[in-house]
Each structure stands twice: as C-alpha cells, then as structure tokens.
Amino acid sequence: GIEYERHARYVEARTILLQGLTVAPFDGGLHLALGVTYRDLGQIDLAREQFRVAGSSGDPQYAALAKVFFDRLPAPSKNAPR
C-alpha cells in the first residue's frame, strides 16, 4: 500500500491497506498510512478517523505521527458531524 501511495496510486493504496487491516486491524502503521491515503484522496473525514485510530494504537511512534498528520488537516466544517 505504501508503494502505491508513493507513486500517487491512491485508490490502489486504499484497497491494499484496507485488505491489510482485515488481517491486522490494530496495526497503527496501517491506519496511519490509510489516513494519509484518504487525505490525498480528499476524503478528510475518513483521514481524520484513521489518524484517531492510529493515535490510539498503543505504538508511541505512530501515535506521535498521527497527531502531526491530524493537526495538519483542515478544520472540520461547522456542519460536519464530529
């Protein structure tokens, strides 16, 4: 999935990362990578959720990175559910 992301093949990256999460649903790295992919696809709400999950995965490295990525996302619109 990460290789697809590096080459701007976001739809393929999303597919591979979602498949990975079926095997390792608590993998913070996969959630972080999926968040980046969703961000790059313009799906900010989905990116935000993946960064939240990565941040609570228990891995301090992924938690720190997830916070950085989360904080850089545009603010949710006032009409969007939180």
Side-chain angles (χ1 to χ4, degrees):
I2 294 171
E3 282 301 311
Y4 286 122
E5 172 73 26
R6 286 184 187 155
H7 297 287
R9 295 176 61 183
Y10 306 121
V11 173
E12 292 98 332
R14 179 185 59 201
T15 299
I16 296 299
L17 292 166
L18 287 169
Q19 288 174 354
L21 285 170
T22 65
V23 176
F26 304 108
D27 187 309
L30 290 175
H31 285 285
L32 183 68
L34 185 56
V36 170
T37 299
Y38 280 139
R39 180 203 63 198
D40 293 344
L41 285 167
Q43 297 175 314
I44 302 304
D45 290 338
L46 293 173
R48 188 173 285 111
E49 181 58 28
Q50 291 304 310
F51 293 144
R52 280 189 189 119
V53 174
S56 63
S57 69
D59 184 311
Q61 180 181 3
Y62 292 131
L65 286 170
K67 180 175 180 355
V68 169
F69 282 113
F70 185 92
D71 289 346
R72 291 182 180 171
L73 290 174
S77 68
K78 293 183 181 192
N79 297 329
R82 292 185 181 216

